[in-house]
Amino acid sequence: MTATTDHYLGIDLHKRKAQVAVLDDEGEVVEEVRVANADLDGIAQKYAGSSAALEAGSNYFTIYDRLDEELDVTLANPAKADWLEDQKQKNDRKGVKNLARYLRLGEVPESYVPPEECRRYRALARGRKKLVEKRSDFKNEVNSLLDQNGVTYDGSLWSDQGREFLRELMLDDASELLLEQWLEAIDEFTVKIKRMQRRIEEVAAEVDELNTLMSAPGIAAFSGLMIYSEIGEVKRFDRAAEVVSHAGLDPVIRESGDSRREGQISKEGNGYLRWILVQCANTAVHNAKDPYLSQFYWRLRNKRNKPHKVAIVATARKLLLALFNMLRKNEPCDPPEVSA
């Protein structure tokens, strides 16, 4: 098959079908078609060697890999281009033509596509997080049910003593049935979480980078796997500031005249990475009581009068910088000495 090198494809991917527009080297439309996702292979083979920009939903990984065998595929990043965001208001036919036109002009910002191994790790870590969140929903249902019945308990309902209290609780028939269902769901999710955790710990034992990350305070198998998989290939970042921006932990800079002030963090990056870093920072400061991070956190709290949320986010950013350097140098955690 003769490669076709002078075509530009815009592809808007949906759950079952995709809208495709093909432009030639002069920017003229040579084909517009809506096809089943399973038939995209034929489009890729027809225009093999050409460039394609993919505007994708959650199912893009498998299709991206298939298309990338025949085409030079760019995964478009709408967060980095106003015109991509604006396309949410348009119809698919116009949108994919615009996508192909901007690709031809070299103006399609690219999203990072993690390697297959990294995707598997992300799926494990994100899956465990979702299971914990689902279990928390049912725990909240139990708390709400007790509130509705005017029941209070001084302690953790999820300790052995707390569960015994719940088993012995006398409520009306409807409330007792609901409580029974909520507790069964909590126990089922606990089993699932433990199963997922065992698999995560098996992976952690096999990946050198996770051993490196777990040498840092506040980081265990789950948090290490999430950090590693959400960062992706560390070599893609040239500077520490780039990985901070990727996590959305970079402060928004406001300039006016001769003044320059840092505001709140951007929150424009990877939400999973930002979330787990804050969790790890909290653990390092309040549970592990790591001298290096704790001193930094409490200096912000006590000497600069920063509220907890601001101080812990700053600590999470400091932790990320340390982790980035550890991964880049393949060295375990070695914080500077903290004076008494």
Side-chain angles (χ1 to χ4, degrees):
M1 180 183 298
T2 303
T4 305
T5 58
D6 297 326
H7 287 87
Y8 302 88
L9 286 72
I11 305 172
D12 191 359
L13 186 64
H14 296 276
K15 188 172 183 178
R16 293 185 177 84
K17 292 190 175 183
Q19 185 72 32
V20 182
V22 184
L23 273 58
D24 62 19
D25 196 41
E26 300 298 322
E28 297 297 324
V29 177
V30 298
E31 184 173 5
E32 290 183 76
V33 63
R34 188 171 182 83
V35 299
N37 290 342
D39 296 331
L40 282 170
D41 290 346
I43 297 289
Q45 291 167 7
K46 181 177 180 179
Y47 295 100
S50 296
S51 298
L54 181 65
E55 186 176 355
S58 59
N59 61 332
Y60 81 86
F61 280 138
T62 301
I63 294 174
Y64 174 94
D65 290 339
R66 282 162 41 201
L67 294 177
D68 201 46
E69 293 177 3
E70 303 284 353
L71 304 167
D72 180 14
V73 183
T74 296
L75 183 67
N77 186 348
K80 293 186 177 180
D82 293 340
W83 60 266
L84 273 172
E85 285 285 359
D86 292 341
Q87 286 188 178
K88 293 177 181 178
Q89 308 300 324
K90 47 73 184 168
N91 60 58
D92 288 345
R93 289 186 61 191
K94 182 179 178 181
V96 291
K97 284 188 284 189
N98 282 338
L99 192 59
R101 289 188 179 110
Y102 280 103
L103 177 66
R104 176 174 167 269
L105 297 172
E107 295 180 4
V108 175
E110 188 170 0
S111 284
Y112 172 65
V113 179
E116 184 178 352
E117 181 183 68
C118 188
R119 299 177 209 170
R120 293 199 304 270
Y121 296 160
R122 280 188 181 184
L124 280 174
R126 292 183 181 186
R128 184 190 181 280
K129 181 178 185 291
K130 186 171 289 291
L131 288 173
V132 171
E133 290 171 345
K134 294 293 185 183
R135 183 178 65 178
S136 295
D137 289 342
F138 287 109
K139 287 184 175 181
N140 290 335
E141 292 290 353
V142 171
N143 288 322
S144 177
L145 184 67
L146 296 188
D147 288 342
Q148 292 167 17
N149 284 272
V151 177
T152 59
Y153 180 73
D154 187 16
S156 171
L157 289 171
W158 317 115
S159 65
D160 291 341
Q161 295 86 350
R163 288 301 296 263
E164 183 65 27
F165 169 80
L166 291 173
R167 281 192 292 270
E168 296 177 353
L169 197 58
M170 302 295 292
L171 301 170
D172 62 77
D173 291 345
S175 295
E176 285 192 0
L177 178 59
L178 282 171
L179 179 60
E180 179 184 342
Q181 297 302 309
W182 300 150
L183 292 177
E184 285 182 6
I186 289 167
D187 291 340
E188 289 172 3
F189 275 105
T190 297
V191 171
K192 297 177 187 296
I193 292 164
K194 288 180 177 178
R195 187 183 305 150
M196 187 76 79
Q197 181 64 25
R198 285 196 295 271
R199 178 59 187 139
I200 287 172
E201 289 174 357
E202 290 171 0
V203 169
E206 299 168 356
V207 181
D208 291 340
E209 289 87 348
L210 291 190
N211 290 327
T212 299
L213 289 173
M214 289 166 61
S215 69
I219 297 179
F222 162 65
S223 51
L225 186 67
M226 179 165 277
I227 291 168
Y228 176 60
S229 62
E230 299 298 342
I231 287 177
E233 298 160 295
V234 71
K235 63 183 180 182
R236 69 192 180 100
F237 299 105
D238 294 326
R239 300 177 297 113
E242 293 176 1
V243 76
V244 170
S245 178
H246 172 63
L249 288 170
D250 50 321
V252 176
I253 305 299
R254 294 183 174 86
E255 294 183 328
S256 177
D258 295 330
S259 65
R260 184 177 185 275
R261 186 169 63 88
E262 290 187 358
Q264 297 179 335
I265 59 172
S266 70
K267 295 186 180 181
E268 291 182 355
N270 186 306
Y272 289 98
L273 180 57
R274 184 167 60 254
W275 172 82
I276 195 62
L277 287 166
V278 171
Q279 305 306 308
C280 291
N282 266 308
T283 299
V285 171
H286 298 293
N287 296 96
K289 293 182 170 57
D290 172 69
Y292 178 62
L293 293 176
S294 291
Q295 185 187 69
F296 177 79
Y297 170 84
W298 288 112
R299 185 169 66 247
L300 292 177
R301 293 281 279 135
N302 296 332
K303 294 186 178 180
R304 299 189 183 179
N305 296 318
K306 298 293 185 182
H308 164 74
K309 186 176 180 180
V310 173
I312 205 64
V313 165
T315 306
R317 182 165 57 242
K318 196 171 191 68
L319 174 61
L320 175 58
L321 293 173
L323 298 177
F324 172 70
N325 287 318
M326 288 161 54
L327 287 172
R328 190 169 56 174
K329 298 176 182 178
N330 193 26
E331 294 178 352
C333 182
D334 184 24
E337 293 293 330
V338 176
S339 58

